[in-house]
Every structure is written in C-alpha cells, then in structure tokens.
Amino acid sequence: MGILTSLRNVFGRSRKERAAQAEGVTQETAPPATAPEPKLPSQPTAPPEPAKAPEQTEAPEQTEAPAPTPAPKATAQVPEPRTAPSTTSDEHELVKAAFTNITVPKPTEAPDTEPAPAPEAKAKAKPEPEAEPEAAPTPQAKPEAAAPEPTPEPEAEPEPTPEPETDPEPAAADVAEAPQGPPAPDDESSTGGAGGNTGAEGEAEADPTPQPEAKPATPATRLRTRAPGLATAYKAAGTTLKKHDLTGTRAKVHLVLDRSASMRPYYKDGSAQALAEQTLALAAHLDPEATVHVTFFSTEVDGTGDLTLTDHENKIDELHGALGRMGRTSYHAAVEAVLAHHAEEAAPGTPALVVFQTDGAPDAKTPATQSLTKAAADHPNVHFSFVAFGDPENKAFDYLRKLKTGNASHFLAGETPKELTDKELYEGVLATWRP
C-alpha cells in the first residue's frame, strides 16, 4: 500500500493541477505536466507526435466527465467523497498512465528503428525487382525486356565496332600487301617462267643426259658389224656403267702396258691382249671414236699405238714384238707420256680414263708419286685406274695400296688375269671413277 499512497500523492497532485488549469487557475507545476497541457487545447490535431496522442486521448476522457462539475466542486471540496470510489479507478488510471508513459518512449524508439530498416528493405526490394526483370527479361512482359534490351544492344554494338577496327587493320595489311602484289607477279612471272622453264630447263638438263647421251657412244649394232668378237665384253661394260650411273658418260680411254722383264709371261699367255680388247669394248661406250691409245713403258716409254674396232686383233702382240728389249718399271715416264698425248689430242677439260697395267711397284717411287700428284693438280679430269697382274699378297703392291693422290685407284687382278670375267674386270676398273 505504500506504493499506492505515493502514487496518490504524485498523481493526485497532478490531477488537481489539471483541474485547476481547466478552471483557469494558474498554479506552478512540474514542467512535464504543464508542457503537454497548454499544447492539448492549442494543438489537438498534431499527428506527427505519437507520444502526445495518448495524452490527448486521456485528457478528453478526464475532462469530459469532471470538467463541468468538478470545477465548483473542487472549490467546495465536494468531490472528495467521490474520490473514494474514483480513487481506485484513478489509481488504476494513474498506474496505467504511469506504465503507458513508460511504454511511450519505447514505441517512439521502435518507429525510429523500424523506419530505418523499412526503407532499407524497400530500397533492397526496389533493386530486387530491377534485378528480376534483368534476370528474366524473356519470360516476362516484352516492354520490360525491351527497356534493358536497347541498353545491351548499344553495348554489343561497340563490340562489333572493334571488328571493323580490326577490318581496317587487315585492310592496311592488304594495302601493304598490295604494293607487294606488283613484285609478287613479277616474282610469279619469273617463277612462273621458271616453272615453265623448268620443263624447258628440265628438257635442257635432260638433254645432256637423256637418250642421246644415255646411250653408248657406239651403238651395239655397229660394234657387232665391226668387232663381233667384242660383243660379250661390250655388253658387260654397259651393265657395269649402268650400275654406277655412268651410262652416257663421254671420256677418252688410254691403256698403259708394263714392259718390264717380269711381264714376259703375261704377254705370252695373251693376258695383255685380253686386257686390251676389254679396254676397247669399254671405250666403245665412252668414246664416239671407239679408239684406245696404247702406251708401252719400261725404263722409258718403249712405244705407242692405237686400237680400233677394225684393228685390234693380235695388235698388242705385234706392237710388243716390234719394240725390242724389255726394261725396268718407271711409272713417271708413262704418266707424263699419257698426259702429253691427252693434252694434244683432246680439248681442255675432257675426261680421260687411263687403264694402267703393271706387275710391281715402280723402281723410282718418288718420281712416280710426284708425277701422279702433279697430274691430279694439272689434269684433275684424268683418272688412273691401276690393274695389278700378279700375286695380290706381293709386297710390291703396297705402293698402290698406300697411294693417296686423289686421282688414282687400283685393282688386284691376280696371277691369272686372263681368267677374270669381263664383269669382274670392269667392276675393278670403274669402282671409284666418277668423271
């Protein structure tokens, strides 16, 4: 009950003050009670103040019942007995007013906080519908999609604009290519001419090696009519030349025969004559004249002669028998004689194949090596193909094995060279010759 009495004292005084103010009596009261009362009659319709609204509602309720009667009764203190029953109601009203006054600042704070999130939610809700039409422009109404559509279209338009920008760049490249175009046709005309010439050039290039030159210098029919005994060797020579890609090659052919004393048995058994005929059959492929110049050497050059298709049978025996005594073995004398004859009879640069037959090493190795070395320098188109008669294991042939002048090769024919086939001989003679 102590609380009720205190509330009566507090709110009873304020109520009496309100009654006094209603009567026109001006009494000094607390600022919170007086502040709202002058505003109630003057500003009853102010809506923006939510806290004042409940006070105004309470004021008319209190003034409507006691306003006409309590004014005189307040002076005569008649309402005091009425206060007995009303005190309880007043006490309840005062308690309610106290609690309502306490709750009033809360709603005021609540609307302050509530409107802040409300606009935020509204602001968020606004971008959300904006995002929604953007997210689904196609299913929704076309006017909504039409609004964003023109905007992305100009955005897509600058994208094609760089494409025309790239177009002028190739255009510039084309312009750069355009000046290159005129030299291109020039080159093309030249290349085209070269292409056309390639056929002509191919024909021209084929001309030196084709059918005219790919064929033997002496036809097989001619050889059969003039030298039928050489037909077999001629055929073997053609096969070997073809194998080494030498068909159609043109060259002069020389034969050098050793007439040292140790060569006597090879003349008697016909080995020298057989070698001469094989050399002539080879010359029929290489030399249009089908002639072999023969050089006999020993200590010096003993003699020379020529072999032809019509004059080759037993020719070596006749020439050898007419030369007299046989001497030593001097390579350098024979090398110098062959080079001199070739220089006189053939045009400069004409290839020559020299079949150099011997049965041993030179008596003077130094002059022999010097002559061959000089020949390689002065006559690079002249090749010396040595054919060794005798035992292949003979140390005398070590000179030929060690000879490295670049213009010479050797073939060990063995002790019975006459028994060699034509093919074996040609393989040995043509093994390294590439004019």
Side-chain angles (χ1 to χ4, degrees), residues 229-251:
L230 301 178
T232 303
Y234 175 87
K235 183 178 180 180
T239 302
T240 306
L241 289 170
K242 183 178 180 180
K243 177 181 179 181
H244 295 286
D245 197 16
L246 296 173
T247 302
T249 302
R250 298 294 179 262

mmCIF file of all heavy atoms in Angstrom, residues 229-251:
data_model
loop_
_atom_site.group_PDB
_atom_site.id
_atom_site.type_symbol
_atom_site.label_atom_id
_atom_site.label_comp_id
_atom_site.label_asym_id
_atom_site.label_seq_id
_atom_site.Cartn_x
_atom_site.Cartn_y
_atom_site.Cartn_z
ATOM 1 N N GLY A 229 83.760 -59.929 -132.113
ATOM 2 C CA GLY A 229 84.412 -60.616 -131.002
ATOM 3 C C GLY A 229 84.340 -59.826 -129.700
ATOM 4 O O GLY A 229 84.621 -60.370 -128.622
ATOM 5 N N LEU A 230 83.974 -58.542 -129.750
ATOM 6 C CA LEU A 230 83.904 -57.723 -128.531
ATOM 7 C C LEU A 230 82.486 -57.568 -127.975
ATOM 8 O O LEU A 230 82.265 -56.825 -127.032
ATOM 9 C CB LEU A 230 84.458 -56.315 -128.818
ATOM 10 C CG LEU A 230 85.916 -56.246 -129.305
ATOM 11 C CD1 LEU A 230 86.294 -54.794 -129.592
ATOM 12 C CD2 LEU A 230 86.859 -56.873 -128.295
ATOM 13 N N ALA A 231 81.536 -58.307 -128.611
ATOM 14 C CA ALA A 231 80.134 -58.121 -128.222
ATOM 15 C C ALA A 231 79.896 -58.484 -126.751
ATOM 16 O O ALA A 231 79.169 -57.797 -126.030
ATOM 17 C CB ALA A 231 79.237 -58.954 -129.130
ATOM 18 N N THR A 232 80.513 -59.591 -126.310
ATOM 19 C CA THR A 232 80.288 -60.018 -124.922
ATOM 20 C C THR A 232 80.848 -58.997 -123.935
ATOM 21 O O THR A 232 80.193 -58.622 -122.955
ATOM 22 C CB THR A 232 80.926 -61.383 -124.692
ATOM 23 O OG1 THR A 232 80.399 -62.326 -125.623
ATOM 24 C CG2 THR A 232 80.667 -61.855 -123.276
ATOM 25 N N ALA A 233 82.085 -58.557 -124.196
ATOM 26 C CA ALA A 233 82.697 -57.564 -123.305
ATOM 27 C C ALA A 233 81.929 -56.235 -123.366
ATOM 28 O O ALA A 233 81.771 -55.546 -122.342
ATOM 29 C CB ALA A 233 84.142 -57.362 -123.689
ATOM 30 N N TYR A 234 81.440 -55.886 -124.530
ATOM 31 C CA TYR A 234 80.681 -54.650 -124.704
ATOM 32 C C TYR A 234 79.410 -54.669 -123.833
ATOM 33 O O TYR A 234 79.065 -53.683 -123.188
ATOM 34 C CB TYR A 234 80.337 -54.479 -126.175
ATOM 35 C CG TYR A 234 79.443 -53.295 -126.496
ATOM 36 C CD1 TYR A 234 79.988 -52.046 -126.736
ATOM 37 C CD2 TYR A 234 78.054 -53.441 -126.592
ATOM 38 C CE1 TYR A 234 79.165 -50.970 -127.049
ATOM 39 C CE2 TYR A 234 77.234 -52.378 -126.907
ATOM 40 C CZ TYR A 234 77.791 -51.129 -127.125
ATOM 41 O OH TYR A 234 76.987 -50.061 -127.455
ATOM 42 N N LYS A 235 78.722 -55.820 -123.845
ATOM 43 C CA LYS A 235 77.508 -55.939 -123.046
ATOM 44 C C LYS A 235 77.811 -55.850 -121.557
ATOM 45 O O LYS A 235 77.089 -55.176 -120.794
ATOM 46 C CB LYS A 235 76.820 -57.256 -123.364
ATOM 47 C CG LYS A 235 75.504 -57.454 -122.644
ATOM 48 C CD LYS A 235 74.854 -58.761 -123.059
ATOM 49 C CE LYS A 235 73.526 -58.978 -122.345
ATOM 50 N NZ LYS A 235 72.897 -60.262 -122.746
ATOM 51 N N ALA A 236 78.892 -56.510 -121.123
ATOM 52 C CA ALA A 236 79.271 -56.469 -119.713
ATOM 53 C C ALA A 236 79.656 -55.051 -119.293
ATOM 54 O O ALA A 236 79.325 -54.596 -118.183
ATOM 55 C CB ALA A 236 80.409 -57.432 -119.447
ATOM 56 N N ALA A 237 80.330 -54.350 -120.182
ATOM 57 C CA ALA A 237 80.720 -52.974 -119.869
ATOM 58 C C ALA A 237 79.490 -52.081 -119.696
ATOM 59 O O ALA A 237 79.427 -51.237 -118.790
ATOM 60 C CB ALA A 237 81.623 -52.432 -120.960
ATOM 61 N N GLY A 238 78.478 -52.283 -120.566
ATOM 62 C CA GLY A 238 77.253 -51.490 -120.451
ATOM 63 C C GLY A 238 76.525 -51.729 -119.130
ATOM 64 O O GLY A 238 75.988 -50.799 -118.509
ATOM 65 N N THR A 239 76.522 -52.994 -118.684
ATOM 66 C CA THR A 239 75.860 -53.309 -117.421
ATOM 67 C C THR A 239 76.558 -52.642 -116.242
ATOM 68 O O THR A 239 75.906 -52.088 -115.341
ATOM 69 C CB THR A 239 75.835 -54.833 -117.216
ATOM 70 O OG1 THR A 239 75.166 -55.454 -118.317
ATOM 71 C CG2 THR A 239 75.153 -55.192 -115.914
ATOM 72 N N THR A 240 77.883 -52.668 -116.245
ATOM 73 C CA THR A 240 78.626 -52.063 -115.136
ATOM 74 C C THR A 240 78.491 -50.545 -115.136
ATOM 75 O O THR A 240 78.352 -49.920 -114.073
ATOM 76 C CB THR A 240 80.096 -52.464 -115.219
ATOM 77 O OG1 THR A 240 80.199 -53.901 -115.279
ATOM 78 C CG2 THR A 240 80.866 -51.947 -114.021
ATOM 79 N N LEU A 241 78.513 -49.943 -116.290
ATOM 80 C CA LEU A 241 78.330 -48.485 -116.363
ATOM 81 C C LEU A 241 76.952 -48.071 -115.827
ATOM 82 O O LEU A 241 76.822 -47.077 -115.117
ATOM 83 C CB LEU A 241 78.498 -48.018 -117.808
ATOM 84 C CG LEU A 241 79.920 -48.068 -118.373
ATOM 85 C CD1 LEU A 241 79.912 -47.815 -119.875
ATOM 86 C CD2 LEU A 241 80.806 -47.038 -117.667
ATOM 87 N N LYS A 242 75.961 -48.847 -116.194
ATOM 88 C CA LYS A 242 74.614 -48.547 -115.707
ATOM 89 C C LYS A 242 74.532 -48.700 -114.197
ATOM 90 O O LYS A 242 73.863 -47.916 -113.503
ATOM 91 C CB LYS A 242 73.609 -49.461 -116.396
ATOM 92 C CG LYS A 242 72.167 -49.171 -116.017
ATOM 93 C CD LYS A 242 71.224 -50.076 -116.778
ATOM 94 C CE LYS A 242 69.770 -49.806 -116.413
ATOM 95 N NZ LYS A 242 68.847 -50.711 -117.163
ATOM 96 N N LYS A 243 75.204 -49.696 -113.666
ATOM 97 C CA LYS A 243 75.184 -49.928 -112.223
ATOM 98 C C LYS A 243 75.761 -48.745 -111.471
ATOM 99 O O LYS A 243 75.265 -48.369 -110.398
ATOM 100 C CB LYS A 243 75.968 -51.199 -111.906
ATOM 101 C CG LYS A 243 76.068 -51.489 -110.411
ATOM 102 C CD LYS A 243 76.886 -52.759 -110.161
ATOM 103 C CE LYS A 243 77.019 -53.036 -108.673
ATOM 104 N NZ LYS A 243 77.833 -54.260 -108.430
ATOM 105 N N HIS A 244 76.799 -48.142 -111.995
ATOM 106 C CA HIS A 244 77.450 -46.990 -111.358
ATOM 107 C C HIS A 244 76.939 -45.657 -111.879
ATOM 108 O O HIS A 244 77.559 -44.621 -111.629
ATOM 109 C CB HIS A 244 78.966 -47.092 -111.565
ATOM 110 C CG HIS A 244 79.598 -48.260 -110.884
ATOM 111 N ND1 HIS A 244 79.800 -48.315 -109.513
ATOM 112 C CD2 HIS A 244 80.062 -49.446 -111.377
ATOM 113 C CE1 HIS A 244 80.386 -49.459 -109.196
ATOM 114 N NE2 HIS A 244 80.550 -50.182 -110.313
ATOM 115 N N ASP A 245 75.806 -45.703 -112.576
ATOM 116 C CA ASP A 245 75.178 -44.488 -113.090
ATOM 117 C C ASP A 245 76.130 -43.715 -113.997
ATOM 118 O O ASP A 245 76.244 -42.485 -113.919
ATOM 119 C CB ASP A 245 74.726 -43.593 -111.932
ATOM 120 C CG ASP A 245 73.714 -42.541 -112.402
ATOM 121 O OD1 ASP A 245 73.167 -42.712 -113.506
ATOM 122 O OD2 ASP A 245 73.495 -41.550 -111.665
ATOM 123 N N LEU A 246 76.811 -44.454 -114.844
ATOM 124 C CA LEU A 246 77.763 -43.846 -115.789
ATOM 125 C C LEU A 246 77.332 -44.011 -117.244
ATOM 126 O O LEU A 246 78.115 -43.686 -118.150
ATOM 127 C CB LEU A 246 79.151 -44.475 -115.605
ATOM 128 C CG LEU A 246 79.826 -44.233 -114.252
ATOM 129 C CD1 LEU A 246 81.118 -45.053 -114.147
ATOM 130 C CD2 LEU A 246 80.123 -42.750 -114.068
ATOM 131 N N THR A 247 76.115 -44.467 -117.453
ATOM 132 C CA THR A 247 75.649 -44.632 -118.825
ATOM 133 C C THR A 247 75.565 -43.268 -119.503
ATOM 134 O O THR A 247 75.039 -42.309 -118.937
ATOM 135 C CB THR A 247 74.275 -45.299 -118.837
ATOM 136 O OG1 THR A 247 74.357 -46.558 -118.173
ATOM 137 C CG2 THR A 247 73.774 -45.507 -120.254
ATOM 138 N N GLY A 248 76.068 -43.190 -120.715
ATOM 139 C CA GLY A 248 76.070 -41.933 -121.445
ATOM 140 C C GLY A 248 77.280 -41.071 -121.174
ATOM 141 O O GLY A 248 77.400 -39.986 -121.743
ATOM 142 N N THR A 249 78.167 -41.506 -120.276
ATOM 143 C CA THR A 249 79.366 -40.715 -119.984
ATOM 144 C C THR A 249 80.294 -40.722 -121.197
ATOM 145 O O THR A 249 80.432 -41.733 -121.883
ATOM 146 C CB THR A 249 80.091 -41.297 -118.772
ATOM 147 O OG1 THR A 249 79.185 -41.309 -117.660
ATOM 148 C CG2 THR A 249 81.321 -40.486 -118.421
ATOM 149 N N ARG A 250 80.916 -39.562 -121.401
ATOM 150 C CA ARG A 250 81.866 -39.434 -122.517
ATOM 151 C C ARG A 250 83.254 -39.145 -121.965
ATOM 152 O O ARG A 250 83.425 -38.273 -121.121
ATOM 153 C CB ARG A 250 81.452 -38.310 -123.468
ATOM 154 C CG ARG A 250 80.107 -38.547 -124.134
ATOM 155 C CD ARG A 250 80.199 -39.765 -125.070
ATOM 156 N NE ARG A 250 78.921 -40.059 -125.710
ATOM 157 C CZ ARG A 250 78.086 -40.968 -125.298
ATOM 158 N NH1 ARG A 250 78.355 -41.668 -124.197
ATOM 159 N NH2 ARG A 250 76.968 -41.208 -125.960
ATOM 160 N N ALA A 251 84.254 -39.904 -122.456
ATOM 161 C CA ALA A 251 85.630 -39.748 -122.000
ATOM 162 C C ALA A 251 86.566 -40.439 -122.982
ATOM 163 O O ALA A 251 86.172 -41.359 -123.711
ATOM 164 C CB ALA A 251 85.809 -40.334 -120.597
#
